[in-house]
Amino acid sequence: MNTQTADSAFIRACRRQQVSSVPVWYMRQAGRSLPEYRATRAGTAMLDATSNPDLITEITLQPVRRYGVDAAILFSDIVVPLRAAGLDIDIRPGIGPVVGKPVRDEGDVARLRTLDPGDVAFVSRAVEMLTAELGGIPLIGFAGGPFTLACYLVDGGPSKTFDRTRSLMYGSPALWESLLGRLADITITFLQAQVLAGASALQLFDSWAGILSPEDYRRSVLPFSSRIFAALAAEGVPAIHFGVGTGELLGLLGEAGADVVGVDWRVPLDEAVHRVAPGKALQGNLDPAVLLAPWPVIEERARQVLERGRTAESHIFNLGHGVLPETDPDVLARLTDLVHAIPAGSVG
Ligand code: CP3
């Protein structure tokens, strides 16, 4: 475990310990909203960039330098461990993950082999370089949640509703369970490699879990997410669990075993508090689209998020989903300063 970051505001807030101001970081803080990211990435395919320790390190550090956020998040992608395990999967610019041969039967699942830590040595190397560089600033490692990974594998690419995935889940429970079991194993190895190399916290992005009913989530996904969090608990780093449109699932996201539940913008934090069992911190939840509005609107909305966050046992400020590519970096810098300038527990 990385002991240098134990007293940072971010880690303290994850553990529901007192902080002087609410820590802040942004999902997708590294990425197309930053001109330096676009320059670094020019001419390099996404999955080539995420395989190169020097590029991973540089891109991860860019938002930390620019904004002074309380945590860095590893520049990688949810498909990286799948590709490292031999799967034919790519990220198409402007589209997202696309799979060569979607998973439809036992034969397809059987081809999903386990991940060896050596398969992601480039990630371990980047995490080592980053933690040396970051010192007391925590690095958040991450992976895709089992449902979200299955969505891309079964549907074969992005979709709004992932109908094929849901129908396979309903109609072929045994196949579904063997698929999610393999994905959970890959995810555990991937996250353990990041913690072993020095990551201070982890986030599981089950971004699309919100398209499931609570009953189906509990039956078909929760056992696998729980297995992931249980396996990682031994590593002693705080874990965050996030999905989009998960208003009805917030309690279950916590129940899976995370220390922190990420909330999107649809549920106010003072309502989320009632949906999550005691003993959890909350993360969120400014609508990323608010950042495209004039500053007074942003400030008012950010203060409202902080005020509502005070009803939680602990709060980490973030957006309700990733930074939109058209966001002005100066706005994120100003927002970070605003959050830092307000003493925790005193939103005026
Ligand atoms: O938060 C961060 O700064 C860390 C970087 C990060 C990326 N992907 C880099 C990336 C993280 C945490 C992810 C996770 C991820 N990837 C998720 C879960 C989080 C979420 O947003 O819900 C999902 C669903 C994916 C799959 C994926 N990868 C999509 C849908 C896309 C967008 C496709 C596009 O071009 O619009 C990607 C590509 C991707 N991953 C980009 C980045 C910076 C953009 C591609 C580029 O810069 O060329």
Side-chain angles (χ1 to χ4, degrees), residues 141-146 183-185 187-189 191-192 195 201-206 217 221-243 250-262 280:
F142 76 91
L183 292 174
D185 289 340
T187 302
I188 289 167
T189 303
L191 290 173
Q192 277 171 339
V195 175
L202 297 170
Q203 178 156 326
L204 196 66
F205 282 90
D206 218 348
Y217 179 85
V221 182
L222 184 70
F224 301 96
S225 311
S226 299
R227 181 139 77 74
I228 294 168
F229 286 114
L232 271 305
E235 312 292 342
V237 305
I240 309 167
H241 200 181
F242 169 79
L250 290 173
L252 294 168
L253 293 186
E255 201 179 310
D259 304 282
V260 184
V261 175
K280 309 285 175 191

Side-chain angles (χ1 to χ4, degrees), residues 294-306:
W295 174 255
V297 177
I298 300 170
E299 175 166 351
E300 190 197 336
R301 295 279 186 147
R303 285 181 183 274
Q304 205 171 56
V305 167
L306 285 165

